[in-house]
Amino acid sequence: MTAKRARPSVLIIGSEAQPFAKTGGLADVLGALPPALARFGWAATVVLPRYRGVTAGAPVETFPVTVGGFTRDAAFFEAPLADGARAILVDCPDLYDRESLYGVGNVDYADNALRFAFLTRAALEFAGRRSAPPLVVHAHDWQAGLAPVYLSTLYASHPVLAGTPSVFTIHNLAYQGIFDASLLPSLDLGWDQLTVGRLEYWGRISFLKGGINGSRFVTTVSRRYAEEIQTPEFGFGFDGILRARGADLVGILNGIDTREWDPADDRFLPARFDADHLEPKATVKLAVLRRYGLPVDEGAQQRPLVGIVSRMVDQKGFDLIAALADDLPRLDASFVVLGTGDPAYQDMWRVLAARHPDRIGAQIGFDEALAHLIEGGADMFLMPSRFEPCGLNQMYSMRYGTVPVVHAVGGLADTVEDDQPRRRKATGFVFREYTPAALLDALTRAVTRFADRTRWRALQVAGMQRDFSWDRSAQEYVKIYERAFGARPRGTRA
Ligand code: ADP
Ligand code: GLC
């Protein structure tokens, strides 16, 4: 790259990004990846909806965007993220001024296909009007799955976007964006897309499949998950499709935002600490116990505090916890949980907390500040996920000296080292079988180990010293972008 040339640029499309809108880890990733790419000399623009309540951004322009017969003015707001990185928020009240991002309760909005097709069209139209178009389009999850499809159809001979290669990242294969095939015309797509090599999935259409089949490279968020999703056990019916793309499928572990998640400088903590000064962590623990109305006597302060911050969905292993409802309170530990999601799991935690008010505290809701407080104050962090593409909380936990207890899947397996004799770099407790007994065994091992303060401190410090920053991952994305760009059909654009 010579000094005179403009930065290479990437257009990132996704449905949530920090600090604008968040339901899960995708938002953390899309908030942190653009600045990380910018540090490596790229210009990164992430496009997402301007949902209800978002006030950030300055208006850039407004123009009509059409999907099928649906035309609305889209207003584009720009919010800087860092030097070289920005968010573009797409305002279209009919589609995005709603109570929540994807649906209410367990029910998705009926027009989600249109809502996210519109986002994708808006992002591509916006990019197509710039003087410096993106070298690569990077689409995330099913919501942006039509980006590669539109690039090779509607934009195949576009003066600016023709030939632009795309990279598609799977954050979670469980969400597949499956809709009735009859929607194709209203998405500006031809019936030729209803084939098994394109969008067709058991007679319906899948945006996720469109993203996988239409992009130059497919990435997912850990190496282990990249392997797992090619097997029937973790493939959610997509393992064959992913095996077919196996040569172009890459696992890139997420980083974490080490400034946002820093125990030495966290605005949400009543006391700050680091690997050399762990004592203030006890003050944070006390604050958590108080916040949850749990006992704060000497015994409560001495016994380990287990934290959970999670979407309450099947993925996260709550069925194992339900099976252990009578065993958990017998452990010499306290539990605090923060989460929202499936009403059945919310109720389960409410009932557990009501039954054991001296040991279990539950907060149903989404609360960024409390999430930080739990990461800071808990001694252990529980993530018994059935599957976990990457998982961020176990990495936040390690950074906060909060020792993770995890199931050996996906990113959890790739990031947490089990406490074994003579393993000096161990950072947590890992169980292999997805059974209540195996989880209980890991938790019991952790609680027992907690009593050995020297060994416990070693586990904490090993975790705190791990480097999960974004730079390594961003470099891997840059390599993929460069390969995608280099692999473009010749003669499409200089
Ligand atoms: P997933 O994306 O599958 O939900 P991750 O571990 O990748 O799992 O990311 C979850 C992110 O969402 C973390 O930043 C976590 O702190 C946050 N989070 C989840 N539930 C809540 C909640 N109820 N309140 C605050 N933050 C939450
Ligand atoms: C998904 C996955 C989670 C991952 C996150 C960000 O929500 O469930 O494991 O960390 O995306 O990639």
Side-chain angles (χ1 to χ4, degrees), residues 378-382 397-398 401-405 427-429 456 459-460:
D379 298 297
M380 301 167 191
F381 194 90
L382 184 56
S397 298
M398 284 184 263
T402 302
V403 176
V405 179
T427 54
F429 296 84
W456 191 260
L459 283 170
Q460 290 181 295

Side-chain angles (χ1 to χ4, degrees), residues 149-441:
V149 182
Y150 283 150
L151 279 170
S152 63
T153 55
L154 299 180
Y155 295 89
S157 0
H158 189 274
V160 172
L161 294 175
T164 306
S166 54
V167 173
F168 182 67
T169 296
I170 301 168
H171 294 264
N172 197 330
L173 202 58
Y175 304 96
Q176 304 179 337
I178 293 180
F179 302 100
D180 211 279
S182 64
L183 283 186
L184 277 173
S186 61
L187 297 169
D188 289 326
L189 294 172
W191 293 107
D192 58 332
Q193 294 298 328
L194 194 64
T195 55
V196 64
R198 295 190 176 168
L199 266 65
E200 192 270 348
Y201 189 70
W202 297 103
R204 310 185 76 198
I205 54 168
S206 159
F207 281 28
L208 182 76
K209 191 170 174 186
I212 293 170
N213 282 338
S215 52
R216 178 63 192 87
F217 287 103
V218 181
T219 78
T220 187
V221 288
S222 69
R223 283 207 186 134
R224 176 73 72 103
Y225 193 62
E227 288 165 17
E228 287 171 345
I229 56 179
Q230 299 182 58
T231 67
E233 190 189 351
F234 291 99
F236 278 97
F238 270 63
D239 46 298
I241 298 161
L242 288 158
R243 280 196 302 278
R245 295 244 38 203
D248 299 321
L249 172 61
V250 183
I252 301 178
L253 189 75
N254 289 328
I256 60 171
D257 186 332
T258 49
R259 273 193 306 183
E260 183 60 28
W261 294 91
D262 180 3
D265 182 24
D266 186 324
R267 63 192 187 282
F268 298 116
L269 302 189
R272 318 280 164 87
F273 55 91
D274 59 37
D276 296 325
H277 309 92
L278 267 166
E279 296 67 32
K281 192 168 163 64
T283 307
V284 186
K285 177 173 176 175
L286 197 59
V288 177
L289 291 171
R290 288 219 171 90
R291 173 73 188 267
Y292 274 85
L294 289 170
V296 291
D297 55 84
E298 192 55 27
Q301 290 186 48
Q302 289 306 319
R303 81 174 70 94
L305 177 63
V306 184
I308 298 179
V309 179
S310 181
R311 290 184 297 121
M312 290 190 173
V313 294
D314 286 335
Q315 172 190 346
K316 300 297 181 176
F318 291 123
D319 53 335
L320 297 186
I321 291 178
L324 294 174
D326 294 330
D327 302 274
L328 297 186
R330 285 199 212 113
L331 286 171
D332 190 20
S334 311
F335 293 82
V336 289
V337 60
L338 167 66
T340 173
D342 192 330
Y345 291 129
Q346 298 183 167
D347 289 345
M348 174 189 90
W349 279 110
R350 283 197 190 101
V351 168
L352 280 175
R355 233 188 258 158
H356 307 283
D358 54 334
R359 285 300 175 93
I360 301 181
Q363 280 278 344
I364 306 305
F366 196 94
D367 186 336
E368 190 78 24
L370 186 54
H372 281 250
L373 192 70
I374 293 172
E375 287 291 8
D379 298 297
M380 301 167 191
F381 194 90
L382 184 56
M383 257 176 115
S385 311
R386 180 184 288 272
F387 67 94
E388 196 61 76
C390 176
L392 299 172
N393 276 308
Q394 82 281 13
M395 294 193 269
Y396 299 150
S397 298
M398 284 184 263
R399 193 158 158 74
Y400 281 69
T402 302
V403 176
V405 179
V406 304
H407 180 215
V409 281
L412 299 175
D414 282 355
T415 54
V416 183
E417 286 262 355
D418 191 28
D419 177 57
Q420 291 289 330
R422 288 186 298 281
R423 189 175 287 168
R424 304 181 70 201
K425 290 282 168 210
T427 54
F429 296 84
V430 181
F431 63 99
R432 285 175 203 290
E433 298 287 310
Y434 187 75
T435 59
L439 165 56
L440 186 61
D441 176 67

Side-chain angles (χ1 to χ4, degrees), residues 48-66:
L48 72 154
R50 195 166 197 252
Y51 297 105
R52 178 178 296 175
V54 179
T55 53
V60 184
E61 62 176 325
T62 299
F63 57 82
V65 171
T66 298

